[in-house]
Amino acid sequence: ALPIYDTDGCRYDAYLCYSSKDFEWVQNALLKHLDSQYCERNRFNVCFEERDFIPGEDHIINIRDAIWNSKKTICIVTKHFLRDGWCVEAFNYAQSRYYSELKDVLIMVVVGALSQYQMLKFKPIQAFVQRRQFLRWPEDLQDIDWFLDRLSQKIIKEQLAEKKALELSMESNSMELSNIATIS
């Protein structure tokens, strides 16, 4: 198991954003293999609407809080996702966080027979598809373990980079302090 570095104090490792019409598939294909409350050997604390959204709270506030309290947002893009205004709005929020933090906080997973043309019809998704690589759910069942491992790597990737950057930053700060001490 790979370590998870909690460098930013986020409550969740990832917010899983999907159409409610896809919940059963998401639960069986992803949550059972990623979320630690589904299985002890799973390594991630995943936020998802059915369990973690506050009942009675404005839906857009729940979405915003899920995105900003998670290290990553994973959007499961299906035909249902593209037809669901809340999903597209959540994608917008996650993308605006990407722009404001300039960090790789949005992971897009395309599931089903969606063409690039179908995705390009949606402005926020269009910009992301043209600019970034996205993952595609495998058609071959033999590739699912590989896919889940790759998705897990994407969830923790930035955290590892942040830790290394922090170490380099601390090294350069200590060099600056020793230079200042020598000068004075």
Side-chain angles (χ1 to χ4, degrees):
L2 296 166
I4 296 172
Y5 298 100
D6 187 13
T7 56
D8 56 1
C10 282
R11 184 170 170 201
Y12 302 102
D13 297 305
Y15 162 50
L16 203 51
C17 177
Y18 51 87
S19 169
S20 58
K21 292 179 179 175
D22 295 321
F23 176 67
E24 192 174 323
W25 182 89
V26 167
Q27 183 171 346
N28 291 323
L30 294 170
L31 288 170
K32 287 182 177 176
H33 301 284
L34 296 173
D35 188 64
S36 57
Q37 286 190 21
Y38 274 83
C39 177
E40 281 183 20
R41 75 174 183 272
N42 294 341
R43 66 179 88 151
F44 298 113
N45 183 17
V46 178
C47 174
F48 61 98
E49 181 174 343
E50 284 75 4
R51 181 187 68 198
D52 299 305
F53 277 22
I54 300 167
E57 182 69 80
D58 189 356
H59 196 64
I60 200 69
I61 291 173
N62 270 319
I63 290 171
R64 184 201 61 204
D65 290 349
I67 290 168
W68 287 93
N69 287 314
S70 301
K71 293 172 186 170
K72 301 280 176 117
T73 296
I74 305 168
C75 289
I76 307 302
V77 179
T78 64
K79 287 179 181 174
H80 294 131
F81 182 99
L82 295 175
R83 291 185 197 124
D84 186 326
W86 290 116
C87 290
V88 176
E89 192 59 35
F91 193 97
N92 265 330
Y93 265 106
Q95 195 169 42
S96 69
R97 180 176 173 204
Y98 168 87
Y99 287 126
S100 73
E101 293 186 11
L102 296 177
K103 275 196 230 169
D104 194 12
V105 294
L106 177 56
I107 301 168
M108 183 170 143
V109 177
V110 177
V111 179
L114 274 182
S115 68
Q116 195 148 341
Y117 170 76
Q118 288 172 297
M119 292 184 288
L120 291 175
K121 289 195 277 182
F122 297 85
K123 284 276 185 223
I125 292 171
Q126 177 185 55
F128 191 81
V129 168
Q130 289 172 338
R131 188 184 76 244
R132 311 269 314 152
Q133 189 175 6
F134 56 89
L135 297 176
R136 196 173 274 280
W137 182 260
E139 292 178 26
D140 190 337
L141 293 176
Q142 294 178 345
D143 295 333
I144 291 175
D145 285 341
W146 172 85
F147 174 86
L148 291 169
D149 186 55
R150 190 157 173 230
L151 179 59
S152 297
Q153 293 291 332
K154 281 185 125 350
I155 293 170
I156 65 170
K157 182 180 175 190
E158 183 65 27
Q159 293 139 3
L160 294 172
E162 286 174 5
K163 184 176 190 284
K164 183 140 183 93
L166 183 64
E167 288 169 355
L168 290 172
S169 168
M170 289 171 68
E171 282 177 23
S172 70
N173 283 345
S174 67
M175 282 194 271
E176 286 174 22
L177 288 175
S178 65
N179 287 343
I180 291 169
T182 338
I183 294 169
S184 50

